[in-house]
Amino acid sequence: METKYKNVMCGNITKELSGKDVVIAGWVHQIRDLGGKKFIVVRDFSGVVQVTISKDSAPKDLLDIAEELTFESVVQVRGFVKEDPRAPRGVEIVPYEIKLLNVAKKPLPLDVSGKVPADIDTRLRERVLDLRRAEMRAVARISDTALKTIREVLRGYGFIEVFTPKIIASATEGGASLFPVIYFGKEAFLAQSPQLYKELLAAAFERVFEIAPAWRAEESDTPYHLAEFISIDIEAAFMNYEDVMKILENVVYEVMKAVKEENEDDLKTLNYTLPDISLPLPRIKYIDAIKMLRDKGVSVEPGEDLSITHLRILSESIESPLYFIVEFPTKIRAFYTKPKDDDPTYSESFDLVWKHLELASGSSRIHKKDQLVEALKERGLNVESFSFFVKWFDYGMPPHAGWGMGYSRLLLMLTGRSNVKEVTLFPRDKKRLTP
RNA sequence: GCCGCGGUAGUAUAGCCCGGCUAGUAUGCGGGCCUGUCGAGCCCGUGACCCGGGUUCAAAUCCCGGCCGCGGCGCCA
């Protein structure tokens, strides 16, 4: 779209535009001064294009402005497209006029052009410059493809997109710590999951999904945890865990397919190849996973939760990079998880694992009130504080199931990066509240 | 929170084990040369040892404490 500032994106300038006048706007990516010629590489979100100035023929005021340019200064260039085999991609812009819209200070606290690497700590501190780097623009585009595809696939299954409240009353859900907020003088908390509300919505709209932030005030200090993260959640009435697993593996499959098709260049920029998977994904029962580990000499007892170390070892003996672990012990899962009818020690639950990383987890949910109250009591939770939730189990709560997936973890698989902070635009962790 | 490793110019690193007085390199920055670069090249210059204490004639280097970072765990609907 043509705007007040530009009529074409740098990456879209091709030989077909040869001879045409264009206006581009972007950041000064590189400057190469060769005596008689000066090359200015201008970058926008789409890519880069070279602006070539011949010092003998260019007007003086243009040369003066060219002298003032610094890396990451914002410029608008009006000129004509010239086909030239010596130029990158065979085209360049010969400028009539360069407008300096904003001069960048020097030196930059981070190299945007990719010549000098930076530590993750420096990158997050200088995040906006870091996000301009080719790798991060690729991550952003892959992320967008993934989001778009997730929504398309879920809508294809008849899910509708919803939002659940993020300020909640109850801190007594057990497990993770919550961030307290003051809500009109009352104590409230930031939601750590849409779980309970999405279940209630499934009792009204049958199939719902939400892509939204969640917060956990955990001590967790790892490359896989954030204090604020995006959770992709679905909840569906009249489905069980096997039904929603099929939806989950299809979502992931379609996302990987879309990224392969639509982000070929981005994957190349990231020097990453997506893993190949075929459906259905392997489904390994928890108890069999324990056996496999014990056969390998790992000391792990049935009933114990699987740690990341266990998953690392387990993934070595599973040919698929993505797999499900199913039917966890009931007592290590959340209270709303439905136990198996034939063996209540185990539950209708699953985790989706990529190598050693848990991407998603889900289950059939309890839909009978008595059973739910019992499950709360067994975990030592205060039934009264869940009354806002339990109440609706008196009025037509259907059988239902769902899952939640950590978005930044999915992005790790899609981009080949190793730290969720890297693929989160402005990550919030225990020690980072800015930028 | 525990364990491990680390903190050297704006950025990224070498030097540290085996202490020695111009702290090297790349990139950046300033200046110069060069009509086609594309990680441009060449020449000159510029800029740094996390903080505090200790050992020593002498500390970037060894020791202690602190702060900060990264990784491995733990914690984790």
Side-chain angles (χ1 to χ4, degrees):
Chain A
M1 174 192 149
E2 187 170 338
T3 71
K4 181 171 163 55
Y5 294 97
K6 65 202 291 184
N7 63 17
V8 63
M9 295 292 278
C10 295
N12 295 339
I13 292 175
T14 57
K15 290 173 191 171
E16 285 67 53
L17 290 174
S18 184
K20 294 246 167 64
D21 282 0
V22 293
V23 185
I24 59 164
W27 293 265
V28 174
H29 189 65
Q30 283 287 284
I31 304 168
R32 298 194 193 94
D33 196 335
L34 274 77
K37 296 271 182 197
K38 188 160 191 157
F39 301 105
I40 298 156
V41 178
V42 176
R43 184 198 70 243
D44 62 19
F45 186 62
S46 69
V48 295
V49 71
Q50 173 168 290
V51 174
T52 303
I53 301 169
S54 296
K55 291 187 185 169
D56 52 3
S57 60
K60 182 164 182 312
D61 53 340
L62 197 146
L63 288 174
D64 288 344
I65 288 179
E67 278 308 302
E68 289 178 54
L69 299 180
T70 57
F71 288 165
E72 296 307 309
S73 286
V74 179
V75 291
Q76 180 187 38
V77 180
R78 197 169 54 80
F80 73 93
V81 179
K82 188 180 156 221
E83 190 174 342
D84 192 315
R86 294 169 298 183
R89 303 207 319 269
V91 270
E92 59 193 12
I93 291 175
V94 180
Y96 305 126
E97 183 191 27
I98 298 176
K99 272 191 193 161
L100 191 45
L101 303 181
N102 210 330
V103 189
K105 245 167 79 175
K106 58 190 179 188
L108 295 171
L110 184 88
D111 170 40
V112 177
S113 72
K115 280 183 214 162
V116 184
D119 294 334
I120 184 76
D121 188 40
T122 307
R123 291 178 50 201
L124 294 175
R125 190 181 69 233
E126 311 299 342
R127 189 55 155 166
V128 177
L129 287 172
D130 184 55
L131 293 174
R132 291 183 195 157
R133 295 168 53 252
E135 287 86 353
M136 290 311 299
R137 283 182 283 130
V139 168
R141 275 190 288 260
I142 289 171
S143 167
D144 187 59
T145 301
L147 283 173
K148 182 189 67 176
T149 309
I150 290 164
R151 289 191 162 104
E152 279 170 7
V153 174
L154 289 175
R155 290 204 174 95
Y157 281 111
F159 285 79
I160 63 166
E161 186 163 7
V162 297
F163 296 106
T164 58
K166 299 304 163 200
I167 301 175
I168 58 169
S170 176
T172 52
E173 294 172 21
S177 316
L178 305 178
F179 287 107
V181 295
I182 298 161
Y183 189 73
F184 299 115
K186 274 187 231 161
E187 187 184 51
F189 301 90
L190 292 179
Q192 64 180 190
S193 159
Q195 182 62 38
L196 273 27
Y197 284 98
K198 70 176 178 173
E199 286 191 48
L200 299 180
L201 289 175
F205 306 140
E206 295 202 26
R207 297 179 188 184
V208 297
F209 76 99
E210 179 176 31
I211 301 176
W215 295 268
R216 293 194 189 162
E218 289 304 324
E219 289 302 307
S220 303
D221 188 7
T222 82
Y224 313 113
H225 291 83
L226 292 168
E228 176 179 85
F229 65 99
I230 302 299
S231 182
I232 300 168
D233 278 88
I234 78 159
E235 198 68 29
F238 308 111
M239 291 196 195
N240 76 353
Y241 71 126
E242 286 169 332
D243 296 321
V244 294
M245 277 164 75
K246 278 183 202 147
I247 291 171
L248 177 56
E249 66 184 354
N250 259 307
V251 165
V252 172
Y253 182 85
E254 291 300 329
V255 166
M256 290 171 81
K257 193 172 139 205
V259 169
K260 276 179 193 170
E261 282 168 7
E262 296 170 35
N263 299 90
E264 209 182 327
D265 292 345
D266 297 318
L267 290 169
K268 206 172 286 172
T269 298
L270 294 168
N271 192 24
Y272 181 61
T273 311
L274 284 183
D276 281 313
I277 59 165
S278 56
L279 300 188
L281 296 174
R283 281 140 166 90
I284 295 144
K285 284 191 178 178
Y286 165 88
I287 195 66
D288 293 330
I290 295 290
K291 277 183 198 133
M292 287 165 77
L293 286 168
R294 290 177 69 96
D295 286 348
K296 288 196 156 206
V298 180
S299 84
V300 58
E301 296 300 321
E304 229 177 274
D305 207 354
L306 297 172
S307 70
I308 193 161
T309 311
H310 293 143
L311 294 178
R312 276 182 213 277
I313 298 164
L314 192 62
S315 64
E316 287 167 14
S317 28
I318 298 165
E319 71 288 359
S320 173
L322 266 172
Y323 55 93
F324 285 109
I325 298 176
V326 303
E327 298 178 9
F328 285 84
T330 302
K331 66 176 182 187
I332 61 168
R333 301 297 278 205
F335 73 88
Y336 48 77
T337 308
K338 185 173 182 283
K340 287 179 61 143
D341 290 330
D342 56 357
D343 181 5
T345 311
Y346 292 95
S347 59
E348 297 193 359
S349 59
F350 61 90
D351 278 3
L352 175 65
V353 184
W354 172 56
K355 294 181 185 173
H356 52 270
L357 190 60
E358 182 192 318
L359 295 186
S361 69
S363 66
S364 307
R365 323 298 194 187
I366 294 171
H367 71 284
K368 295 279 179 61
K369 186 180 176 183
D370 294 348
Q371 196 180 8
L372 188 66
V373 169
E374 198 50 43
L376 281 165
K377 284 181 183 161
E378 272 168 16
R379 285 167 181 78
L381 296 167
N382 180 355
V383 178
E384 190 49 39
S385 60
F386 286 92
S387 58
F388 79 98
F389 176 62
V390 175
K391 170 183 174 178
W392 304 104
F393 286 64
D394 278 331
Y395 301 103
M397 177 60 73
H400 58 290
W403 45 256
M405 176 158 56
Y407 187 57
S408 54
R409 292 183 178 191
L410 176 70
L411 273 184
L412 293 186
M413 184 181 72
L414 297 175
T415 60
R417 306 296 98 174
S418 54
N419 189 326
V420 290
K421 291 165 197 171
E422 199 181 348
V423 298
T424 302
L425 303 180
F426 295 104
R428 288 291 173 265
D429 62 29
K430 214 178 157 189
K431 47 207 159 204
R432 255 176 282 261
L433 192 51
T434 60

